[in-house]
Amino acid sequence: MIIDCHGHYTTEPKDLHRFRKEQIAAANAKDKTALPSRASLKMSDDEIRESIEQNQLKLQRERGTDLTIFSPRASGMGHHIGDESISFEWSQICNDLIHRVCALYPKNFIGVCQLPQSPGVPPKNSAAELERCVKELGFVGCNLNPDPSGGYFNSPPLTEKWWYPFYEKMIELDVPAMIHVSGCCNPAMHTTGSYYLNADTMAFMQLILSDLFKDFPTLKLIIPHGGGAVPFHWGRFRGLALNNGRPELDEIIKNNIFFDTCVYHQPGINLLTDVVPVENILFASEMVGAVKGVDPKTGFNFDDTKRYIEKAPRLSDADRAKIFEGNARRVYPRLKTKATVKAAV
Ligand SMILES: [Zn+2]
């Protein structure tokens, strides 16, 4: 079985965009009377089916993957927009929509939630929505935004006590978080080209110099997009860790930090699988997402990452099995009750 741990619903029914546009306009105007109602949303099962079958499901079948761990569009979370109540309403709507996809295709998709984070609001306020999504909707994880400001990095580091009550809820529910920023409103950064990778790299550096995993030995965090700049600069991070009296990186990350394979070329995957322990790598494609289209050099889609894993020269079959399935089952323990049946192709 091949589990893709990083997929977003980027082909949502169009009325969701109408709703969000009206919601943002009302938030910007600070006019609560102009907020659209949830009841106004018109998204039929047929519309959802069509959007999935023509896109994510079609690609799963073509590429030979089985199950996608599926969350709302990351760049659309927009935690910097409006206040906490806006973020709460928007997150619940997006999470409920993911739940509908998972209910329509239970063998192909399993949910991960967006959190109702908002700038300056303690992360503990997102614990209730996480609990709702896990207990009521059967979700297996969450996307945790380290920078709800949308590009200004003014939140406390992920290792500060500010975040601890939320981690306690994650531990209680036995779910991991993918550290994932949203759309960027800082004009100096491109959302998927620089902001995402900057945040990934920042998170890793915060984590390796901290005692976070002494306080939470079972906390599991996934750093997406191949870990940002981390694998390429492994020597720099390793040296900084050792110079600060920390153990080897392999030891620091062992049970707690994982990287996905959303790296869109063969040499990048070769490097990732060369320097990061196989046990800490999870298969992912982030399709249909950040980099659409066909690589003219290979003739295959940039985000068709399965073929890079298959061709990575240093991996054994046993390594590939860990990356494709075994590691995901360890990191997302709640998968074991849900994802036991191989998807029908
Ligand atoms: Zn993503």
Side-chain angles (χ1 to χ4, degrees):
M1 183 172 192
I2 295 183
I3 301 171
D4 181 344
C5 81
H6 189 171
H8 302 293
Y9 193 12
T10 50
T11 55
E12 318 95 321
K14 61 180 184 311
D15 203 42
L16 186 75
H17 296 285
R18 187 271 312 163
F19 177 95
R20 182 60 168 165
K21 207 171 148 195
E22 290 178 15
Q23 192 193 38
I24 292 172
N28 289 341
K30 297 199 179 347
D31 179 5
K32 294 215 158 162
T33 63
L35 285 170
S37 74
R38 264 196 224 202
S40 72
L41 270 165
K42 301 232 171 336
M43 301 183 286
S44 68
D45 282 356
D46 280 349
E47 227 179 324
I48 294 172
R49 275 196 201 97
E50 196 187 333
S51 74
I52 290 287
E53 287 182 14
Q54 300 302 314
N55 294 287
Q56 292 84 357
L57 199 59
K58 181 166 165 265
L59 291 172
Q60 271 189 6
R61 286 171 178 154
E62 281 174 10
R63 297 177 184 181
T65 63
D66 300 298
L67 177 75
T68 301
I69 298 178
F70 205 49
S71 62
R73 179 194 293 266
S75 63
M77 297 188 294
H79 293 124
H80 58 281
I81 295 165
D83 59 13
E84 189 181 10
S85 68
I86 296 281
S87 201
F88 180 77
E89 173 92 340
W90 176 234
S91 296
Q92 285 213 326
I93 287 168
C94 291
N95 292 333
D96 288 348
L97 183 58
I98 293 297
H99 179 53
R100 287 178 67 186
V101 173
C102 298
L104 287 169
Y105 301 98
K107 289 180 181 172
N108 303 93
F109 298 95
I110 194 159
V112 152
C113 67
Q114 169 179 330
L115 298 168
Q117 293 175 257
S118 196
V121 174
K124 71 175 179 205
N125 292 19
S126 290
E129 178 61 3
L130 175 67
E131 185 157 14
R132 182 185 81 94
C133 290
V134 172
K135 289 191 171 167
E136 293 175 27
L137 309 184
F139 285 18
V140 297
C142 59
N143 288 333
L144 180 65
N145 187 344
D147 177 34
S149 75
Y152 292 92
F153 294 111
N154 51 10
S155 290
L158 290 166
T159 51
E160 294 284 316
K161 299 268 190 296
W162 166 261
W163 301 90
Y164 275 29
F166 186 76
Y167 297 148
E168 282 160 14
K169 181 56 73 177
M170 284 171 57
I171 303 284
E172 180 194 316
L173 296 168
D174 206 11
V175 294
M178 180 173 279
I179 305 299
H180 205 313
V181 287
S182 184
C184 190
C185 56
N186 180 337
M189 285 184 284
H190 182 277
T191 292
T192 52
S194 45
Y195 182 40
Y196 279 21
L197 305 183
N198 293 349
D200 302 338
T201 311
M202 174 189 80
F204 186 75
M205 194 63 220
Q206 291 173 359
L207 296 171
I208 63 169
L209 291 189
S210 80
D211 290 323
L212 182 63
F213 303 120
K214 281 193 186 129
D215 292 341
F216 296 100
T218 58
L219 183 69
K220 292 184 173 62
L221 302 174
I222 301 117
I223 302 185
H225 321 112
V230 171
F232 190 68
H233 288 285
W234 196 250
R236 174 178 292 253
F237 292 104
R238 188 171 159 251
L240 285 167
L242 294 174
N243 290 347
N244 281 278
R246 301 277 159 180
E248 287 284 350
L249 291 184
D250 292 8
E251 197 53 41
I252 295 176
I253 72 173
K254 197 169 184 182
N255 299 313
N256 306 103
I257 304 177
F258 303 86
F259 298 86
D260 77 9
T261 63
C262 294
V263 177
Y264 295 152
H265 66 147
Q266 188 69 53
I269 289 289
N270 295 354
L271 172 76
L272 174 74
T273 52
D274 195 14
V275 301
V276 174
V278 163
E279 286 71 22
N280 296 79
I281 301 173
L282 307 185
F283 172 69
S285 70
E286 207 179 18
M287 64 154 187
V288 179
V291 184
K292 298 181 188 77
V294 172
D295 180 343
K297 283 191 176 173
T298 65
F300 298 106
N301 284 76
F302 284 104
D303 63 8
D304 187 357
T305 54
K306 178 168 161 269
R307 65 181 62 246
Y308 309 136
I309 308 300
E310 284 164 347
K311 293 207 172 91
R314 284 183 183 77
L315 296 178
S316 65
D317 286 348
D319 292 338
R320 287 192 183 87
K322 286 181 188 171
I323 291 172
F324 282 137
E325 180 179 1
N327 294 341
R329 291 189 180 281
R330 240 178 344 111
V331 175
Y332 296 84
R334 284 181 173 268
L335 275 178
K336 67 175 175 284
T337 51
K338 290 276 177 185
T340 48
V341 188
K342 190 177 190 299
V345 178

